[in-house]
Amino acid sequence: MNTGKSALERFKILRLLLAVYRMRAVRALFPVLIIGLVYWEGQSELKRIHLGRTLHELRHVPAPDIAAMMGTALAAVTVMSAYDFLLKFHFRLRISTWTLIRYSWIANTFNNLIGFAGLAGAGLRTLLYKKSGIPAQTLTPAIVFLSPIMITGLSLLSWTVLLGLLPAHQLFMEHGWLRFAVWAMALYLPLFVVMQRSSLFAKWVNRGEGRTPWLTVGGSVGSSFLEWTGAGLTFWVIAHTMLGTADLRSVMSLYVVAAVAGILSMAPGGIGAFDLIALLGLQLLGNDGDQAMAALVIYRLFYYLVPWLIGLAFAALEIGLPAKKSASPHSGPLEAPLNLWQKAWGWPGQFGFLSDLGVWALGKLVLAAGLILLLSAATPELVYRLEFTEDLLSLPVMRVSHHLSVLIGFTLVLLSRGISLRIHRAYRLTGLLLVSGAVFAFTKGFDYEEAIFLLAVALLLWISRSRFYRISAPFSEQTAFLWGLGTALVAVLYGWLGSYSHHGFLKRLPPGLEPEWLQQHSHAAYTAAGGLVLSWLLVTLVAVLRPSRRARELGEPLNQARLAAFLEQETGNPLSHMLFLGDKRLFWAQDGRVLLAFAGVRDKLVVLGDPVGPKRLAEAAIGELRQEADKYGFSVVFYQVSPEYLPVYHEQGYRFFKLGEEAMVPLSAFTTAGKKNSDLRSVANRFVREGYVFEVADPPHSSELLEELRHISDEWLRRRAEKGYSLGWFKEDYLQLAPIALLREPDGAVVAFASLAPGYDGGITLSIDLMRHLKRSPNGTMDYLFVRLLEWAKEHGYVRFNLGNAPLSNVGHSTGSFREEKLAHLVFKRGGHWYGFSGLRRYKEKFSPEWEPRYLAYPTGLVLPVLTLDLVRLVSRPPE
C-alpha cells in the first residue's frame, strides 16, 4: 500500500471515476472500478488472509454464540417491515399485519441479496400487494414513494460519522477518498427532505393531496434509520463475538463507511466494496485478518443468505399451494394441522408470475441444499462431533456416509433445475435424496444443522407437491452443455476447497498426528470427480430408462384421409395445404373440431398459421394445446398468423412481431392491358411468339413427368438442401395432391413449373407453392408463368391468388415501432446481400397485389432474438 499518496491525489482519482460514471456506455463498470480502487488501496492487508485459517475459525464457533448472532440478524431483518407499515399508514392500505410482515420479509430479503438498485424489492412488493387486491392507482405511487426512502437512514448515520459521534478518523487517514463518499451520502438527507416537501412530489406521488406531512417524513427517515442501525448492530454483535475486543462506536462507524462504499458500488448487497472496506477497517482496529474475514463471512451468511433462504421458503409457501383446498389422495396425518396452519396465515393459491416465483424459490432451496451438503463434506467437521459419531458408528460407515453426501449434493444441484421446471419425477427423486442426505449428514459427522435444513426443504416440497405436474421438459444440447459446465465448476471448487481446508486443518494439529477419519478429506479432488460422474450417471439413467415418449408423440402424425375430410367441412387458409407434407404433428382440439399443426424446435412447439375450425372455438383450442404442451415444458408459438385472429392470441397473453406481408392478387382486377402493365404484356407476347406453351396438369401425374420435374428441381437447388416447415419441397406424394403449372419449350420439354395449393375456402383462394426452373431458361420465364397462372385462375372462378410472403416487408417503418421491428426494417433495407428482401417485394409488386400482414405470436416469457434463431433453424431444417 502506498501510504505517501496524498488525499488530494486520491480525490482526483475519485473525481475521474465519477466523470466516467456519467458516460452511459461504461456505467456497468462502475462497481468494478470501486472494488478495484479499494483493492488497490488495501492489497497488502488482503495478502495476510489465509482461507484455511478462516474456515477453521468458522467451524469452531460455539452454538450459543451462533444463536445470539443469528437472533440479532433475524431481528434486524424483521425491523425492516417498518417500511411496509409506513406504506400502510400513509396510503391507507387495507392489508392485515401478518400478511404485511410476510410480504415485507420476502421483498426485503430478495432486495438485500439481489438488489438491482432496489428493483428486486419494488417488483416483488408490486406483485405481492397486487395479489392482495391493492389497486394499481394506489400501488404505483406507493412504490415510487418508498424507493427514495431506503438510504435516508444511512445518510443520517453518515452525519454522525462526520460530526465525530461515530469516530472514523483512522480509516479516513488511511483511505482519504472515503471521506468524500461519506459527505456525498450525508448530503442526500437534506435533498430528500426538500424533495418530499416540494409541490411536484405532492402532485405526482401524493396524488394531489398536498405535501408530505412532517410526521410521514420523520417516519420515512426513522424506518430507514431502523434498517441501517439494525444491520450495523448485527455487524457489531458478530464482530464482538468473533473478535472479542470490538468497540461499539468504532465498529458502527466502520460499518457506516463500508456501507456507503457498498452503495456507491451499486453491487447487490454492496458485495465486494463493503467487504473490502470492512476487512481493512477491522484490521486497522488491530484484529487478526483471518478472524476478521470469518466475521465478514458470518455477517453475510446470517444477515443476507439465511434470511433470504427463509424468504425463499415464504415465497414457496406463499405461492406454491394448490388453488383449491380439496382433499388430496396423498393426505396423511400432517395434512389437517398443515391446512389449519396455512389457513391461519391466509396463504393464497396460484397467482400468475408469483406461482412461478414460488417454484423458482423451491428450486433455489434445493440448489442451496446441494451446495450446503458439498460445503459440509469439503470442510473438516468439529473434532468432538467426529469422536461422538465414531463412538456410535464404525469408521467405514462414516466414510460411506461422507461419499454418499457428496453424491447426493451433486445430484441435488442437478435436480434443482427439474424442480424449477415443475417436473414430477424430479420432485419425487429430490424428496428422497433430501431425506437421505439428512440421514447421511448425521452419520458422517453429526451435522444436525445441515440435516435440519434438508428436512425443512423436503417438507416444503411435500407441501407444494401439487405444483409438480409436468411429465418431462425439453433438454437440449445447449442446456446439457451449460448445466454440465456449471456442475463441473462446482466440482472443481469442491475439490479445491476440500484440499485447502484439509491442509489448513493439518497445520493446527501436533506434528505426526493425523486421525484416520481425517483422511477422507485428503482426496477431495477424487471425491469431487467421482460424485460428479456418479450424479450425472444417476440423472441420465432416470432420463433414459424412463423416457417420456409422449413428449415426442404430442399430437398425431399425418392421417391424410382424416385431414382431407376435415378440410372439406371446415374453411382452411393458404397454409393448410402444407399440412399434407407430413412434417408436422396434428393436434385435434375441442373433440376434433379444431386443428392446430405444429413442429418442434428445442423447447418450443411452432404452430403453422391460425387454428383451422370454427373461430368461436379457437381460443379454447389454443388453451388446450398450451396446457398439454406445458406438461412437457414446451412453449407454444404461432407462426404466420393473420390479423383476423390477433384478438384471440391477445386473450391468451401473446405478444406479436410482424413477419412481413402476403401478396394477394385480386383476380377480378388483374389484366396485362394498360401502360402500367406494359412490361408484363411484352414478356407474355415474346414467349407466345417464341412458341412456349403453358399448361396446368391435373393429378394424378405420370412418373415420367415427375422424373422430369425432379431433374429441374435438382438443378435449381444446385446441391443446396431443401428447406421445410413453412415452405414446400419436392416430394412426389405431396405433388400428386394438386395441379402443377408447366411451361414447355417449343419442342415440348418442361423448362419451369409451379405446384399449386388450394386455399380450402370454397374455391376462393389459390396459392403458389413450389417454384422451380432450369438454369438455361430465358429471362422473364417466371414472369410469364405467373401471368398465365393468374389468367388461368381467373378463368376457373378463383377470386384471389396468393403469391406468397415478402419477409420483413413494411415492418418497423414507423417512428413508434418497437426496437426489434426497427432492426427488422434495417435488415429489409440493407439485407439484400443475404436474401434480397426489398427485391422480392418489388418483384411481386409487378402483379398489383393487396398486401396482408402476417405476424408471429409468442408468449411473453420468450426472448425474441432467441426465438428468431429457433425459427430460422426450424425452417432451415432439411425435410426427412
Side-chain angles (χ1 to χ4, degrees):
M1 180 176 62
N2 186 2
T3 56
K5 186 178 291 294
S6 68
L8 180 61
E9 291 174 332
R10 294 172 183 174
F11 174 69
K12 289 180 180 179
I13 295 173
L14 180 61
R15 187 171 60 182
L16 177 61
L17 292 178
L18 292 174
V20 173
Y21 175 60
R22 296 190 185 100
M23 302 171 58
R24 294 183 61 185
V26 296
R27 285 186 182 178
L29 298 177
F30 193 69
V32 179
L33 294 175
I34 290 290
I35 295 172
L37 176 61
V38 176
Y39 178 79
W40 177 41
E41 290 271 332
Q43 53 185 319
S44 61
E45 287 88 346
L46 294 176
K47 291 178 180 178
R48 303 172 188 170
I49 306 301
H50 301 282
L51 179 61
R53 295 177 185 174
T54 301
L55 291 173
H56 176 79
E57 297 290 341
L58 292 175
R59 295 291 293 186
H60 288 76
V61 181
D65 291 342
I66 291 178
M69 292 185 292
M70 179 69 74
T72 305
L74 296 181
V77 173
T78 305
V79 163
M80 294 173 69
S81 61
Y83 289 127
D84 296 85
F85 282 103
L86 178 66
L87 288 182
K88 180 180 179 180
F89 167 76
H90 184 62
F91 290 92
R92 296 184 288 276
L93 305 180
R94 295 183 178 180
I95 187 171
S96 69
T97 301
W98 283 115
T99 301
L100 185 142
I101 292 176
R102 294 199 314 275
Y103 290 177
S104 174
W105 190 286
I106 294 173
N108 289 325
T109 55
F110 270 78
N111 194 65
N112 278 353
L113 192 72
I114 301 175
F116 293 122
L119 293 179
L124 282 172
R125 273 191 176 87
T126 301
L127 293 168
L128 289 165
Y129 280 119
K130 184 178 179 182
K131 181 166 66 72
S132 290
I134 306 298
Q137 58 268 28
T138 301
L139 192 55
T140 302
I143 298 301
V144 173
F145 171 82
L146 185 61
S147 299
I149 292 175
M150 298 289 191
I151 60 173
T152 56
L154 183 60
S155 181
L156 180 58
L157 287 170
S158 298
W159 282 108
T160 65
V161 172
L162 295 175
L163 295 174
L165 300 177
L166 296 178
H169 306 296
Q170 190 175 4
L171 191 58
F172 286 159
M173 288 179 62
E174 289 292 330
H175 311 287
W177 68 274
L178 290 172
R179 186 186 301 273
F180 301 101
V182 174
W183 264 110
M185 180 59 66
L187 292 175
Y188 178 81
L189 181 59
L191 177 65
F192 168 81
V193 175
V194 171
M195 180 182 67
Q196 290 285 324
R197 296 291 297 172
S198 67
S199 58
L200 185 64
F201 197 85
K203 177 181 178 180
W204 292 106
V205 179
N206 292 342
R207 299 171 294 171
E209 295 184 4
R211 292 176 170 83
T212 306
W214 283 110
L215 179 62
T216 304
V217 174
S220 302
V221 179
S223 299
S224 181
F225 182 77
L226 285 175
E227 175 197 354
W228 291 102
T229 303
L233 288 175
T234 302
F235 185 75
W236 171 74
V237 168
I238 293 174
H240 181 73
T241 303
M242 298 295 297
L243 307 176
T245 59
D247 175 63
L248 174 60
R249 293 177 64 229
S250 300
V251 173
M252 282 295 293
S253 64
L254 168 61
Y255 172 80
V256 172
V257 176
V260 169
I263 291 293
L264 286 178
S265 74
M266 295 180 299
I271 191 167
F274 172 88
D275 304 271
L276 290 171
I277 292 295
L279 180 61
L280 300 179
L282 289 174
Q283 290 181 281
L284 286 176
L285 294 177
N287 297 291
D288 179 72
D290 299 320
Q291 291 180 326
M293 178 62 79
L296 279 171
V297 172
I298 290 181
Y299 173 72
R300 285 288 180 187
L301 180 66
F302 287 178
Y303 186 73
Y304 288 93
L305 187 58
V306 172
W308 181 68
L309 291 176
I310 296 174
L312 282 178
F314 279 168
L317 287 173
E318 186 75 39
I319 321 122
L321 298 176
K324 296 181 180 179
K325 292 182 175 64
S326 56
S328 170
H330 306 287
S331 298
L334 288 177
E335 193 77 11
L338 281 172
N339 284 340
L340 180 62
W341 186 36
Q342 296 156 10
K343 185 177 180 181
W345 277 76
W347 283 323
Q350 184 177 2
F351 185 75
F353 169 77
L354 287 175
S355 178
D356 296 331
L357 172 65
V359 181
W360 179 88
L362 284 171
K364 297 305 167 285
L365 283 172
V366 172
L367 175 64
L371 294 176
I372 286 173
L373 265 182
L374 292 175
L375 181 63
S376 175
T379 54
E381 287 81 2
L382 298 177
V383 175
Y384 75 91
R385 292 190 184 183
L386 286 167
E387 293 174 346
F388 175 75
T389 308
E390 191 175 5
D391 291 338
L392 296 177
L393 304 168
S394 63
L395 187 60
V397 172
M398 295 172 61
R399 286 179 174 174
V400 170
S401 299
H402 174 88
H403 292 296
L404 288 177
S405 296
V406 175
L407 172 61
I408 292 174
F410 278 114
T411 309
L412 289 175
V413 170
L414 292 169
L415 289 175
S416 62
R417 174 175 169 80
I419 294 299
S420 296
L421 292 175
R422 307 168 183 251
I423 301 174
H424 185 68
R425 274 187 290 154
Y427 153 73
R428 291 192 298 178
L429 182 57
T430 301
L432 176 63
L433 291 177
L434 286 170
V435 175
S436 302
V439 173
F440 295 132
F442 273 113
T443 56
K444 77 179 181 66
F446 200 60
D447 289 329
Y448 61 85
E449 300 95 340
E450 291 91 329
I452 292 174
F453 178 76
L454 294 175
L455 292 175
V457 175
L459 178 62
L460 289 175
L461 277 179
W462 180 78
I463 293 174
S464 305
R465 62 193 180 281
S466 62
R467 313 312 307 161
F468 301 96
Y469 59 87
R470 282 189 178 141
I471 300 172
S472 67
F475 196 71
S476 64
E477 295 178 357
Q478 295 91 335
T479 303
F481 172 77
L482 292 176
W483 206 238
L485 183 65
T487 49
L489 179 61
V490 171
V492 171
L493 291 175
Y494 169 83
W496 173 77
L497 182 61
S499 300
Y500 202 107
S501 61
H502 168 77
H503 293 302
F505 187 77
L506 284 181
K507 291 179 181 179
R508 293 182 171 268
L509 294 176
L513 177 62
E514 182 176 352
E516 189 177 0
W517 42 258
L518 189 59
Q519 294 177 5
Q520 61 190 13
H521 294 282
S522 60
H523 304 291
Y526 300 105
T527 305
L532 178 64
V533 171
L534 289 176
S535 61
W536 263 108
L537 287 176
L538 177 61
V539 174
T540 303
L541 286 174
V542 171
V544 172
L545 297 181
R546 298 192 59 189
S548 178
R549 300 187 182 279
R550 286 186 59 196
R552 296 194 298 269
E553 298 174 1
L554 191 63
E556 299 178 3
L558 172 65
N559 184 326
Q560 189 166 307
R562 182 181 181 183
L563 177 59
F566 179 77
L567 292 175
E568 287 180 1
Q569 298 178 357
E570 299 292 343
T571 301
N573 56 56
L575 299 171
S576 296
H577 188 67
M578 291 187 180
L579 306 187
F580 288 100
L581 283 166
D583 64 327
K584 303 165 191 71
R585 308 287 297 182
L586 306 183
F587 185 82
W588 299 93
Q590 297 296 290
D591 297 324
R593 291 176 291 174
V594 181
L595 173 62
L596 300 99
F598 64 85
V601 55
R602 289 205 318 134
D603 57 347
K604 303 169 185 69
L605 303 182
V606 185
V607 179
L608 182 63
D610 298 311
V612 180
K615 188 177 179 180
R616 69 180 188 279
L617 302 176
E619 184 177 346
I622 293 172
E624 190 176 330
L625 174 60
R626 295 184 72 183
Q627 183 177 8
E628 191 68 21
D630 188 52
K631 293 180 182 178
Y632 306 97
F634 288 102
S635 299
V636 179
V637 177
F638 289 83
Y639 183 71
Q640 289 196 15
V641 300
S642 64
E644 180 185 0
Y645 278 79
L646 291 187
V648 177
Y649 302 117
H650 182 268
E651 288 299 317
Q652 286 282 328
Y654 277 82
R655 298 184 65 185
F656 308 106
F657 176 81
K658 189 176 180 181
L659 295 170
E661 293 184 326
E662 200 121 305
M664 295 289 186
V665 180
L667 295 175
S668 60
F670 176 75
T671 179
T672 57
K675 182 178 180 180
K676 179 181 178 181
N677 299 315
S678 59
D679 291 342
L680 293 178
R681 187 169 60 251
S682 63
V683 168
N685 292 337
R686 176 166 57 88
F687 273 82
V688 171
R689 287 195 306 269
E690 294 177 0
Y692 282 84
V693 177
F694 169 82
E695 68 173 282
V696 176
D698 293 319
H701 308 293
S702 66
S703 57
E704 292 80 7
L705 174 62
L706 292 177
E707 187 61 32
E708 187 175 8
L709 300 185
R710 179 178 290 279
H711 169 71
I712 297 173
S713 177
D714 291 343
E715 183 184 307
W716 184 85
L717 286 171
R718 298 175 188 175
R719 297 185 179 180
R720 293 172 300 179
E722 291 266 27
K723 297 184 183 297
Y725 183 66
S726 61
L727 302 172
W729 68 86
F730 196 96
K731 183 180 181 182
E732 293 189 5
D733 294 343
Y734 176 67
L735 293 176
Q736 289 284 10
L737 299 176
I740 301 177
L742 306 172
L743 184 61
R744 296 184 182 273
E745 294 178 308
D747 61 1
V750 178
V751 69
F753 72 93
S755 64
L756 304 179
Y760 299 97
D761 54 0
I764 295 176
T765 306
L766 187 66
S767 300
I768 198 79
D769 191 9
L770 195 66
M771 299 177 293
R772 304 284 159 91
H773 62 82
L774 289 174
K775 185 178 180 180
R776 60 179 174 81
S777 61
N779 291 334
T781 295
M782 299 312 294
D783 289 358
Y784 179 64
L785 185 63
F786 281 145
V787 168
R788 294 305 312 272
L789 258 178
L790 293 171
E791 293 175 343
W792 179 89
K794 184 176 181 179
E795 293 170 0
H796 284 75
Y798 289 97
V799 177
R800 59 180 187 171
F801 194 94
N802 181 10
L803 288 177
N805 195 270
L808 305 184
S809 172
N810 207 21
V811 177
H813 61 87
S814 172
T815 56
S817 300
F818 293 116
R819 288 192 304 269
E820 296 86 355
E821 292 180 341
K822 290 181 178 179
L823 177 61
H825 179 67
L826 183 63
V827 173
F828 178 80
K829 291 178 63 178
R830 309 294 183 187
H833 175 74
W834 297 281
Y835 186 83
F837 296 99
S838 57
L840 181 60
R841 181 182 174 98
R842 286 196 302 270
Y843 178 82
K844 294 182 179 181
E845 285 280 9
K846 295 179 182 180
F847 305 97
S848 303
E850 295 176 352
W851 294 97
E852 294 185 2
R854 293 292 182 263
Y855 296 90
L856 173 70
Y858 61 99
T860 55
L862 298 184
V863 180
L864 185 58
V866 176
L867 173 58
T868 302
L869 292 176
D870 287 337
L871 292 174
V872 171
R873 180 185 305 175
L874 176 62
V875 175
S876 302
R877 182 188 299 167
E880 297 178 357

